[in-house]
Each structure stands twice: as C-alpha cells, then as structure tokens.
C-alpha cells in the first residue's frame, strides 16, 4: 500500500488505472462507524477516495471547453501554444510531436499532453504560435461566433452529429478520448472504433437543408 | 487523497462537466425541438431496425403514442446495444411532412384523394377485369425484401394460390438472387450456415467486393473490436474500389471488375498445389461438378437459360484450375500473383479460422451464381465451413430479404416450402391454403427484369407494387418507366412517401410503416425478429398485409383470409410455420418470437441452431456424421468448376469507363426514408460521381464541378467527387443510387446472371464529358 502511494505520481496513463485496480483495498475501521454492513459498501467510498482523478473521470481535469476556446480566435482556428517553447522555433530542437503525437504524461507540467489529430503535418509552427507579448499592439474589434452547442442530438439519446468540419480534424479519437481530452467532449465509448458509423457531420454553421421533392 | 480547497473545486468542476457531457440530458439545452405535449415518461419497445439486412435490435422510445427516441437493444445478440446513425434516427422517418396518409386514384389524369375503401374496391375490380380480359398471367405483384413476413405470405397466398399466377416477385431479386442460387447449387438449401458469432471466432476476414464499413457498419465494428481485442486478426479488403473498408483493412487488394472469378479459382489452385486442401473433408463431404459455359447476359427479351450440371472427377477439376495459376489470374484480374498467393496462404493455413463476407459486389454480378459457388469452393476445399469462425458469409441488404423473400418464397418459382415445379410442394401449399388441387400453376412466369419487360410489352397489364421503389432501382430505367406509363397499364403502389414510383401509379395506397403495424423480419443470419404495433399510423394508413387481405376478400377469397384485424399476424405466422415443420427449417412459435429479440431457425426442441450442417450444433444432421450437407441428397456439398467470363459490357474505345453504383452509410436503398431524416439528408444531401483524381485531372474537373455520364441507354449530369468517400481506380466512376434527382439507373444496363436473373448494377460502360 505504501509503495503504491509513493509511486502514484510517477505512473502514467493507463498504467495508473491498471495499478490502482490491482491495489489491495485496506479496510480500516473509522472511529465510531460499525463495519461489515451494507454489503461492505464503505469500500466504494474508500476506493473513490484513493483513485486518482484521471482514473475516475478519464481526464486529468486540466482541459475544459473554456480553456480550449481561450486558445483560439474562433471555433476551428489553430490554437496558440500555451506553454514555453524554444524561442528559435527551429524544428531541430523543437519536437512538438514527441509529446503531441501520442500524448502521455509530462511530469514537468504535471499534465497529459493533448494529442494532435494531424501528426502528418510536421511543420507545426506554420499554424501554431506561442504567445510572447503581454500587451496587444493595438486593440481590435474582432467578434467571433458562438462555439457549437454540445449534445445537439436529433432525438433524446441519439448520437450527436459532428458539429465541426473534418478538415484537419478527421481523427476523432485524438481529441475526444484519453486523459488529455477536453472534459466536456470526451467520449466514453471510443472502443467502438468506427466513429462515423453513428456520428455524421452536421456542421453547426452551415444552413440545415430539408429534403423536398422537385416536381 | 486529502482534499484541499483548491483541488476540491477543481475536481467538482470536472466531475460535473463530465457528467454533463456523458449523459446527454438533463442539463444541456436541446436546440429547438417541438415537444410532445404532456409527455414525461418514455416506454421502450423492441423492434428490428427498419433498414439493412444486419437486423440490429432497437428499442423504440414511445411517449403519448409518438416514437421519440431509439437505443440499441442490449438483449439482441446482433448488435449488443449499438446501432448505426440510420438506426438511431430511424423513427424520424415516420414523421416526414409529406407522409402519404390518404388513398389516391388517378381520375382524368390527376391523382385525387379518396377513402381507402374506394381505392381497394377499384383495385379488386381492376384485378378481376384484367384477369378476365388478358388472362391470369397479366396481373402481377411486385414486393420487397422490406415486406414483413406476413406481407409476403399473404401476397403469395393470394396470387399463387387463389389467383393461380406465379407473377409474384420481389425487389430482393435485385439484391440477393445470386446468393440464393449460389446456396442452392452448392448446398441444395438456402441461407448461411454460420452466424454473426463467427466474427468473434475468426482470425482472418476477407471482404469480397463488400464495403462493410458503410453498408454493414455494425458487423464491421464487431470485426474491428475483435481485431483490437485479439492478437493477429487480419482483415483483407478485396474490392474494385477503395473505400472506408479498405482504409480499415490490413490490406486492400483491387481487382478489375468481374475478375473475382479468376482470383477465386487461382486461390483454389494455390490451395491444392501447396497441399493445403483438407483431403479428408473433401473426400467425405464434397463432389465435383461443372455446368454450361458462355451462358450469356440476358439483355434480350424472353432470354432463357437452364444450366446442365455434370459430374467431374477431382483430376478433371484440377485440370480445369490449370487456367488459373496465380500468374495467369494476375493477367486477367490485375491482382498480383503475390497477393493471390498471400490470400491462398491465409485460407490454407490450418491454424487460422477464416470468414469471407460478401453482399452486392458478388450478387449484383453477371456471373453472380458462379462467384458465390467459387467462394464456397475455397471454404469446402479447406474444410473451413460450418464451424465457429470458419464461415463463407453471404450478407443481405434488406431487413427481410431472407425472412420474406427467401423463406416465404415470394419469387416466381418459389412457394413457402419448395418450388412450384414440384408437385409435392404444390400439394402441401394447396392443403395448407385450403385450395382445390391444381390451383397452383406448375410453371414459373417472369423474374423481375422480365416482369418489367412484360409490363412494357403489354403481357402484364396490372401490377401492384408494395414497399419498394422500382422507378429508381430498376436498371435501364428509361425503358421500364416508359413501359409503366403506357396506356392500358394499371399500376397500384403501396408506400409511405411520394416517390418516382408513386408518380407512375394509378392508385396509391397509404401504407403503415415499420412499427405502425405488427410484423416480423428475417435477417442475414436466419434470425426471425418480431415487432409489435408500437405507434399508430397516420390518417388512413393500413398495413400491406391488411391491404392484400381486403382485396382478397373483395375477390371472394374470404375462406383463405378469415382473420380479424386484432390478431391476424399471430394467426398468419402459425399458418406459415406449418410449411417449415421439419428440423432443417423449423421456425419458432409466435409466443417465443414475441418474447425474444430475434430467434434463429432451425428452431428445434426449443433451441436455436447457430451453425448448420455440423452435427455438433445442428440436430438436422444425420446421426453419427460430423458434417452433413443435407440439402443435397447424398449429404455432400458441390464444388463447381466455373470459369472466368467477362462482364456484359466492358469499356471500349467509345465508352471508356466502368460505371459502378452503390450506397453510402447515411442513405438506405432509394433514400425515400433516409432523405426525410434531417441529420442524414444534411450529411449527404445529394448524389455525386466519384472519379479517380487522375481521371478528373485529365477531364479537367475539380471537386464539385459537373460531369456528364453517358451510356448507350441514357445520361446524367452530376457533381464530381474527388478523394471523397471512396476512390475508384483509374477508368472507373462510382455513383450512389439513392437520389431521385439523379437517377443513375437510367444509365445502367439490365444484364443479369443467367442462373439467378439478378441484374449487375456494378458494371457497364460509360463515357464522361465535362458539363
């Protein structure tokens, strides 16, 4: 038990979930609470308390839609880089893909790296730039549109359509699963695999069409 | 984990966000739905999905007599709680604004609404009059693989039994007739030996011209999940066009249209040459045969063909295969000898269980029966059949192509049990149907294409079309639409929406759709699936079964159609079941069907049969046998020598492209239902022509520009799609057929497999112009 406690911060990703699953659960009597009733229901609360957040919610809780859109100028724009990068920005020393191709835990940031849906584009800085200035050069009257609403299912419980264009965002699993996924749009059934079996594009900014016979 | 204040706030925020995202409602505002008034609770009722032949179980959520939601039925072993995008939104197809709610009759050239009883009177009178004037074979029923089992059963009883004409066909002729003749010629009995559980057992999957990722997505997901879970599962996509299935496969192998015949023979050649044949199995359980060759294409009226099977020895069969060494097959098919050897090694590896999947690619094929035979050959030579995971699996495209068309036998030569040519089968039907001996005509009349030709010629004057849309789906459509529009042709159409087929109707009957009536479907794996009337239909809508019963009674057949509207489905089922009272085909009783999410036949002693012809699983097998292919008299399956022959029309100097047609995941069949579902229509609002990028560059068109596709029969102008959903090879274009505004079947050819009479929608020659 001790050992598991000590290493918890170091184990990564799914390994953490497996290890937690294997830990023996201590049944320690809390003062004044009788034991062994309610089908030992106390175990649930103990387990909940001991299980790291990433393992219970599936995300590390660092990214949500607010922080996601804060990095973008409009829904669908390339996000800026929210962390330090080598100022030279030469691809030699800069290996975005070492973290962002497959994701994983970065202990220096105590966070899981988001996975890019388009790792085949290796010239990252073509679209993604860091933020160095503290102040704008001049103010700007830019207005954006509202991001797509969540859960716009056609029917109660039916799979929601894909509200965004698939251009450069065709790899659903990269953004919608894993510990770095944005909490609100993370899916719990990525094991299904063939995403477009159930989810088809219905771009929220495009006008909806109705089928009408021509004659 | 001790919580300090900060981490508590963070964790609460995350878990509430996750809860919101995960459980769709409540907490998220739903766009601008109109709500059902006063509705709070939902009750869930089981049904099979309305669309493809997979036969997913769905649970339909109902509130105040309205269907409002769908989820996958976890009790249904087909899909285990998962649907596809069509299934999830299927109930929206009930509520399209232009739903047909009233009967209509053509009066002075215009369709006018009438009470449905009046329309039924007119139909009965016209039927009687036409039979009197032109003979019993001048009236026809054209039904559907979307008919419920009772629909097809009463249609057959009325036309074949009471009226004595074998003019009963169904659109399943266009979709799985080659699968049937494949089964009949190889095994002597129809429908797959295996079941969907094969997917979890197999190590290798080969999809033969079968874009399962879009057309059978739920089964494809099962395949992908199995590959992910297990080690060393291999998926090979053997096709004529690159699709989503190719993307997901471990290997995509392309062959030239119609040359799958050569590839399959070459695989057999390699299996024998390398000693991978299961000699014991082949000796005990198979015999070798050949049939006629150069068998034609049926493009001319009155085309007749009858195969003449002859026995042959194994040595002769081996000799036949000499024409199909991998190198020779490579020259025919364009598939490298290496790839052929690779596939043969997968089929031949004794440690690997192999499942082959196919659907329209092999069935809509001018040699459809042959290619079905040849893939069975591969499985028979290696003994990889009728055991879990070893499965030659013919999929169907419609929800009850198996249940209604193949099992009830709504084809010109068929009866619910046996064929009209056999006296024993006729007698059985006449007995169950309470008809005098000799009521059923021993001669089959017209298969579908010939039936529409007969309508054009005037041999048929009255046609009743139910649950299908032939004015989109018939090949060489111009001829058959003009035929239907001729004077003195009377067309009755029962449907749920206006379509190009109701456009040619003289009477339109508003039909109940899917769960607005009680019924049963039968899916690809011999599974019969019952559904109750779950919601009421609008207006005067009436089930297709009841429409036929009403007309039958008006014609004086009250004795044969005695049931009350309250319980007719159960009564019809129990009568129908008498045709299948043997362990090779026993169907489950009505009560069992009602209770379960689908039941497989043969249903013997309260148990479903998962794998047929294997005595471990199939009680119909001879005692003491290991395998018993009991469809054939000697219990042995037939291995066929079938050569490669080219398509009916191949590209030439003038018409230099192949035209291939098919579907997309969003739209089903002719789109009359799926296009009225907003999410599906918006995902694919119109059809298009897929071009190879090089061909597009040569033609000078970019994505979205118009291309004119011209064949010897017609032409059509539509938008180009380059690197879209699929990519055809150079020299081929592909068009989805769902869109009534771009009727690609005006361009296709009505050539068919001479044995199955199923048209080939995948191959004809066209040329292209930039429009």
């Amino acid at each position: 038990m001790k050992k598991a406690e000590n290493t918890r911060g170091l184990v990564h990703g799914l390994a953490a979930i497996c290890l937690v699953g294997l830990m023996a659960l201590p049944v320690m009597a809390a003062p004044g609470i009788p034991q062994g009733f309610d089908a030992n229901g106390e175990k649930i609360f103990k387990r909940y308390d001991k299980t790291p957040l990433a393992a219970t919610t599936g995300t590390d809780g660092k990214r949500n839609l607010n922080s996601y859109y804060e990095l973008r100028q409009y829904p669908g724009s390339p996000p800026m880089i929210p962390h330090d990068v080598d100022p030279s920005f030469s691809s030699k020393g800069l290996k975005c893909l070492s973290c962002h191709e497959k994701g994983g835990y970065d202990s220096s940031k105590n966070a899981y790296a988001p996975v890019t849906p388009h790792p085949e584009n290796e010239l990252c800085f073509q679209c993604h730039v860091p933020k160095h200035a503290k102040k704008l050069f001049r103010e700007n009257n830019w207005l954006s549109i509202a991001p797509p609403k969540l859960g716009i299912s056609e029917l109660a419980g039916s799979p929601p359509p894909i509200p965004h264009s698939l251009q450069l965002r065709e790899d659903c699993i990269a953004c919608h699963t894993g510990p770095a996924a944005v909490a609100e749009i993370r899916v719990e059934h990525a094991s299904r695999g063939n995403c477009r079996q159930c989810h088809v594009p219905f771009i929220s900014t495009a006008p909806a069409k109705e089928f009408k016979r021509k004659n | 984990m001790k919580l300090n204040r900060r981490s508590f706030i963070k964790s609460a925020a995350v878990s509430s966000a996750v809860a919101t995202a995960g459980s769709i409602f409540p907490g998220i505002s739903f766009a601008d739905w109109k709500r059902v008034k006063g509705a709070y609770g939902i009750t869930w009722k089981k049904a099979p999905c309305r669309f493809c032949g997979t036969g997913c179980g769905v649970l339909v959520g109902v509130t105040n007599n309205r269907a409002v939601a769908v989820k996958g039925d976890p009790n249904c072993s087909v899909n285990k709680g998962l649907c596809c995008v069509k299934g999830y939104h299927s109930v929206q197809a009930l509520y399209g604004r232009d739903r047909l709610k009233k009967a209509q009759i053509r009066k002075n050239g215009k369709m006018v609404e009438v009470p449905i009883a009046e329309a039924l009177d007119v139909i009965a009178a016209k039927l009687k009059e036409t039979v009197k004037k032109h003979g019993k074979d001048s009236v026809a029923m054209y039904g559907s693989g979307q008919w419920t089992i009772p629909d097809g059963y009463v249609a057959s009883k009325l036309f074949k039994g009471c009226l004595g004409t074998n003019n009963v066909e169904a659109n399943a002729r266009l979709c799985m007739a080659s699968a049937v003749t494949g089964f009949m010629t190889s095994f002597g009995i129809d429908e797959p030996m295996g079941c969907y559980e094969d997917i979890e057992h197999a190590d290798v999957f080969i999809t033969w011209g079968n874009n399962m990722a879009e057309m059978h997505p739920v089964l494809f997901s099962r395949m992908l999940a199995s590959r992910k879970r297990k080690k060393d599962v291999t998926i090979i996509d053997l096709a004529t066009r690159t699709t989503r299935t190719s993307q997901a496969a471990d290997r995509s192998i392309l062959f030239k249209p119609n040359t799958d015949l050569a590839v399959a023979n070459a695989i057999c050649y390699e299996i024998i040459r390398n000693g991978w044949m299961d000699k014991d199995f082949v000796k005990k359980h198979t015999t070798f045969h050949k049939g006629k060759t150069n068998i034609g294409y049926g493009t001319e009226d009155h085309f007749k063909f009858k195969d003449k099977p002859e026995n042959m020895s194994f040595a002769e069969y081996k000799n036949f295969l000499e024409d199909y060494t991998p190198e020779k097959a490579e020259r025919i098919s364009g598939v490298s000898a290496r790839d052929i050897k690779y596939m043969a090694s997968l089929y031949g590896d004794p440690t690997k269980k192999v499942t082959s999947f196919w659907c329209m690619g092999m069935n809509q094929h001018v040699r459809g029966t042959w290619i079905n035979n040849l893939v069975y050959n591969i499985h028979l030579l290696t003994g990889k059949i009728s055991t879990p995971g070893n499965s030659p699996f013919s999929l169907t495209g419609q929800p009850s192509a198996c249940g209604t068309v193949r099992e009830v036998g709504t084809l010109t030569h068929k009866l619910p049990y046996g064929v009209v040519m056999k006296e024993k089968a006729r007698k059985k039907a006449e007995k169950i149907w309470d008809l005098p001996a000799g009521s059923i005509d021993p001669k089959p009349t017209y298969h579908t294409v010939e039936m529409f030709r007969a309508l054009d010629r005037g041999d048929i004057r009255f046609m009743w079309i139910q649950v299908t849309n032939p004015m989109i789906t018939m090949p060489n459509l111009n001829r058959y639409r003009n035929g239907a529009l001729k004077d003195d042709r009377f067309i009755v159409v029962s449907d749920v929406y206006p379509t190009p087929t109701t456009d040619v109707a003289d009477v339109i009957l508003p039909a109940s759709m899917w769960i607005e009536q009680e019924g049963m479907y039968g899916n690809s794996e011999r599974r019969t699936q019952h559904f109750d009337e779950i919601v009421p239909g609008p207006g005067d809508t009436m089930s297709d079964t009841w429409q036929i019963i009403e007309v039958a009674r008006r014609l004086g057949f009250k004795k044969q159609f005695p049931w009350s509207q309250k319980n007719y489905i159960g009564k019809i089922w129990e009568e129908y079941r008498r045709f299948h009272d043997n362990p090779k085909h026993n169907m489950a009783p009505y009560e069992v069907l009602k209770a379960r999410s689908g039941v497989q036949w043969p249903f013997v002693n309260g148990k479903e049969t998962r794998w047929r012809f294997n005595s471990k699983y199939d009680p119909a097998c001879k005692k003491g046998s290991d395998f018993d292919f009991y469809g054939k008299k000697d219990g042995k399956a037939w291995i066929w020598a079938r050569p490669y022959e080219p398509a009916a029309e191949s590209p030439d100097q003038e018409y230099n492209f192949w035209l291939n047609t098919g579907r997309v995941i969003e739209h089903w069949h002719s789109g009359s239902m799926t296009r009225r579902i907003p999410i599906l229509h918006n995902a694919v609002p119109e059809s298009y022509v897929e071009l190879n990028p090089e061909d597009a560059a040569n033609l000078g068109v970019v994505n979205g520009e118009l291309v004119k596709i011209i064949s010897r029969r017609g032409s059509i102008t539509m938008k180009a799609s380059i690197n879209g959903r699929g990519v055809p090879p150079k020299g081929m274009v592909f068009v989805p057929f769902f869109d009534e505004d771009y009727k690609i079947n005006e361009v296709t050819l009505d050539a068919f497999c001479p044995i199955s009479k199923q048209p080939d929608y995948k191959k004809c020659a066209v040329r292209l112009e930039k429009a």
Side-chain angles (χ1 to χ4, degrees), chain B residues 358-424:
Chain B
W358 67 91
C359 195
M360 292 312 136
M362 265 170 54
N363 294 345
Q364 294 177 336
H365 191 306
V366 284
R367 296 293 177 263
T369 310
W370 289 8
I371 185 63
N372 273 267
N373 291 148
L374 294 183
V375 175
Y376 293 130
N377 286 357
I378 301 173
H379 284 267
L380 288 168
L381 286 172
T382 51
K384 294 190 180 181
I385 194 163
S386 289
T387 47
N390 284 320
S391 195
F393 210 117
S394 160
L395 297 165
T396 45
Q398 299 189 85
S400 201
C402 284
T404 306
V405 182
R406 294 161 74 163
E407 291 155 29
V408 176
T410 50
L411 296 167
T412 184
H413 64 291
K414 276 279 290 164
L415 286 167
Y417 172 86
V419 291
V420 295
M421 296 81 91
K422 290 263 160 71
E423 195 185 1
K424 194 180 145 200

Side-chain angles (χ1 to χ4, degrees), chain B residues 91-109:
Chain B
V91 293
Q92 289 188 294
L94 298 169
Y95 303 113
R97 234 176 272 178
D98 55 345
R99 182 72 194 272
L100 294 171
K101 295 171 187 161
K102 288 264 180 210
Q104 296 173 43
I105 294 181
R106 193 174 294 278
K107 285 182 180 165
N108 302 323

Side-chain angles (χ1 to χ4, degrees), chain B residues 683-747:
Chain B
V684 187
E686 61 184 351
S687 187
Y688 49 79
V689 52
E690 282 178 1
L691 288 107
N692 181 279
E694 267 186 68
D695 289 332
N698 290 340
L699 199 63
V701 293
V702 300
N703 234 337
E705 283 189 314
L706 293 177
V707 176
K708 188 171 184 187
I709 310 161
I710 308 152
S711 78
R712 293 179 176 90
R713 293 147 303 273
S715 69
I716 187 173
T717 301
M718 59 201 312
K719 284 181 190 159
S721 162
I722 299 152
N723 286 328
R725 191 67 63 89
V727 182
K730 267 191 79 172
M732 180 195 284
V733 295
F734 174 86
V735 178
F737 74 92
F738 69 85
D739 190 340
E740 62 173 69
D741 295 324
Y742 301 95
K743 297 187 190 75
I744 191 60
N745 279 317
E746 293 177 352
V747 180

Side-chain angles (χ1 to χ4, degrees), chain A residues 34 49 54 56 59-60 74 81 86 131 135 183-184 186 192 206 212:
Chain A
D49 198 38
T56 54
T59 82
D60 67 359
Y74 53 88
I81 300 164
D86 181 348
K131 184 180 173 182
K135 236 174 80 189
E184 296 92 328
R186 184 183 163 273
R192 301 292 205 187
K212 276 214 178 82

Side-chain angles (χ1 to χ4, degrees), chain B residues 220-460:
Chain B
F220 194 70
S221 291
R222 271 177 81 166
M223 205 155 106
L224 294 186
S226 178
R227 180 174 69 178
K228 193 167 175 61
R229 218 173 30 247
K230 297 197 327 201
K231 266 190 180 160
D232 298 334
V233 169
T234 307
I235 301 172
I236 311 281
D237 181 45
L238 176 62
T240 60
R241 162 178 165 257
T242 308
T243 65
R244 277 190 186 169
T245 304
S246 328
Q247 290 172 341
D250 297 289
R251 187 89 165 254
S252 154
I253 299 172
L254 291 177
F255 62 91
K256 292 179 193 156
N258 232 49
T259 66
D260 41 358
L261 298 157
V263 175
N265 276 329
I267 289 172
C268 291
Y269 173 91
E270 272 296 292
I271 285 168
I272 294 172
R273 192 183 67 88
N274 287 294
W276 293 328
M277 188 171 88
D278 183 339
K279 284 186 187 140
D280 198 44
F281 183 94
V282 169
K283 207 172 153 197
K284 264 175 84 178
H285 302 299
T286 67
T287 51
F288 291 85
H289 304 266
K290 61 182 175 187
K292 285 188 188 168
T293 55
N294 279 322
I295 60 177
Y297 300 100
T299 45
E300 64 277 14
D301 281 35
H302 304 294
F303 173 87
K304 286 260 184 307
F305 175 80
K306 199 169 190 296
D307 205 6
K308 206 174 137 222
E310 287 174 51
N311 295 335
M312 74 196 294
S313 67
F314 175 64
E316 286 171 310
Y317 174 70
K318 235 177 110 177
N319 195 37
F320 157 83
L321 289 179
E322 286 297 325
D323 288 346
Y324 302 98
T325 64
E327 291 71 24
K328 286 179 189 166
E330 174 177 338
R331 284 197 289 277
I332 301 171
S333 66
V335 179
S336 72
R338 235 181 101 209
D339 280 342
I340 292 173
K341 288 176 183 177
Y342 171 59
M343 285 187 284
S345 74
L346 293 174
Y347 276 112
D349 185 339
T351 66
K352 286 193 161 74
K353 295 188 208 116
V354 189
T355 290
S356 306
F357 277 116
W358 67 91
C359 195
M360 292 312 136
M362 265 170 54
N363 294 345
Q364 294 177 336
H365 191 306
V366 284
R367 296 293 177 263
T369 310
W370 289 8
I371 185 63
N372 273 267
N373 291 148
L374 294 183
V375 175
Y376 293 130
N377 286 357
I378 301 173
H379 284 267
L380 288 168
L381 286 172
T382 51
K384 294 190 180 181
I385 194 163
S386 289
T387 47
N390 284 320
S391 195
F393 210 117
S394 160
L395 297 165
T396 45
Q398 299 189 85
S400 201
C402 284
T404 306
V405 182
R406 294 161 74 163
E407 291 155 29
V408 176
T410 50
L411 296 167
T412 184
H413 64 291
K414 276 279 290 164
L415 286 167
Y417 172 86
V419 291
V420 295
M421 296 81 91
K422 290 263 160 71
E423 195 185 1
K424 194 180 145 200
R426 291 198 304 276
K427 279 199 162 148
K428 189 178 178 115
E430 284 158 357
K431 190 175 162 221
I432 294 174
W433 287 346
D434 197 4
L435 288 164
S439 295
I440 298 167
D441 194 323
K443 263 187 80 174
T445 51
Y446 309 109
H447 56 83
T448 295
V449 171
E450 197 58 28
M451 187 183 259
F452 278 89
R453 287 177 185 168
L455 182 71
D456 179 34
R457 292 193 302 262
D459 299 335
I460 288 176

Side-chain angles (χ1 to χ4, degrees), chain B residues 649 651 657-660 711 713 747-749 762-766:
Chain B
E649 187 183 69
F657 276 84
W658 288 107
L659 168 65
N660 182 3
S711 78
R713 293 147 303 273
V747 180
T748 55
L749 175 67
K762 306 291 188 191
K763 291 159 224 128
C764 73
V766 295

Side-chain angles (χ1 to χ4, degrees), chain B residues 20 25 80 90 147 154 166 170 181 184 214 236 347 374 389 422 439 448 492 500 509 577 596-597 613 640 762 766:
Chain B
T20 322
F25 67 110
K80 302 173 179 168
S90 51
W147 256 345
V154 295
N166 287 320
T181 48
M184 296 310 289
E214 290 197 72
I236 311 281
Y347 276 112
L374 294 183
K422 290 263 160 71
S439 295
T448 295
V492 179
L509 292 178
R577 214 158 70 83
R596 298 193 196 170
S597 299
F613 314 139
W640 282 91
K762 306 291 188 191
V766 295

